[in-house]
Amino acid sequence: MNTTAATAQLLVAAAFVSIPLVRHRFGSAAKAAAVAELRRQDVRPEVLEENRIRFDAGGHETAAPVTVAAVMVTTAVLNLAGVAVAPLLTLVFSSLVLLMNALIVHSNLTAVKSVEAAFRRKGDPELARVRVAPFLAAAENAFPGWVRLQTYVRNTVVFGGSALAIAAVSFA
């Protein structure tokens, strides 16, 4: 039984579940702010729906983090039960979570460029006119101020918890 790895994995699971919870609670405010920004830019707000651009917890914004959380909880249970394959699964899944979270952080840091490129690829001339930086800033600013802190804490928990779980099974 590896209690340290299991505890770290449960914390990582909770961190991932927090993503759709925040988006579910505040996504409509973010969308309203984004719509207001589009109107300010003289872009039809319907372009969001037409191109399936969302700010809520629908689709992959829920499925991906909940799946990660489920895998972490399952692996934690296996660690607590002392199942022989648990350390190997911990090494595999915690390593994948580290890599995925690094990609998420990179995506967040390069969001303006990524969204600009995505909008161009859609081929919608109206969507291509959107000034992305103020559009994203409007949506981000609609979330409460504590969400930024929660993001930093979540990333710290995910990186630290995954590394701790790997270390715990590697040196057990």
Side-chain angles (χ1 to χ4, degrees):
M1 168 171 44
N2 195 319
T3 308
T4 302
T7 302
Q9 290 165 321
L10 292 173
L11 289 171
V12 169
F16 268 91
V17 169
S18 74
I19 299 167
L21 291 176
V22 168
R23 289 180 68 94
H24 174 73
R25 173 66 180 90
F26 301 106
S28 59
K31 180 180 179 181
V35 164
E37 177 58 26
L38 289 177
R39 286 192 176 115
R40 196 185 69 70
Q41 293 183 25
D42 199 29
V43 174
R44 290 180 316 105
E46 294 80 16
V47 76
L48 294 177
E49 297 299 326
E50 293 165 2
N51 288 281
R52 296 184 178 144
I53 298 167
R54 305 175 64 154
F55 295 91
D56 63 7
H60 76 277
E61 289 88 358
T62 294
V66 167
T67 300
V68 170
V71 168
M72 289 292 100
V73 168
T74 301
T75 310
V77 168
L78 294 174
N79 270 309
L80 289 173
V83 175
V85 74
L88 175 62
L89 294 176
T90 296
L91 288 172
V92 170
F93 292 128
S94 292
S95 296
L96 287 173
V97 167
L98 275 172
L99 291 172
M100 287 183 338
N101 206 57
L103 291 173
I104 291 167
V105 169
H106 174 51
S107 172
N108 289 343
L109 294 174
T110 60
V112 171
K113 288 182 182 181
S114 299
V115 172
E116 287 171 343
F119 281 10
R120 281 193 303 275
R121 281 193 308 273
K122 291 258 185 192
D124 183 324
E126 190 162 23
L127 194 57
R129 290 188 312 113
V130 174
R131 289 190 320 280
V132 172
F135 169 74
L136 291 179
E140 182 178 331
N141 291 335
F143 287 93
W146 59 262
V147 171
R148 181 174 297 277
L149 175 62
Q150 183 256 358
T151 300
Y152 296 143
V153 170
R154 179 176 41 81
N155 285 323
T156 301
V157 167
V158 170
F159 285 126
S162 296
L164 178 60
I166 291 167
V169 299
S170 296
F171 301 111

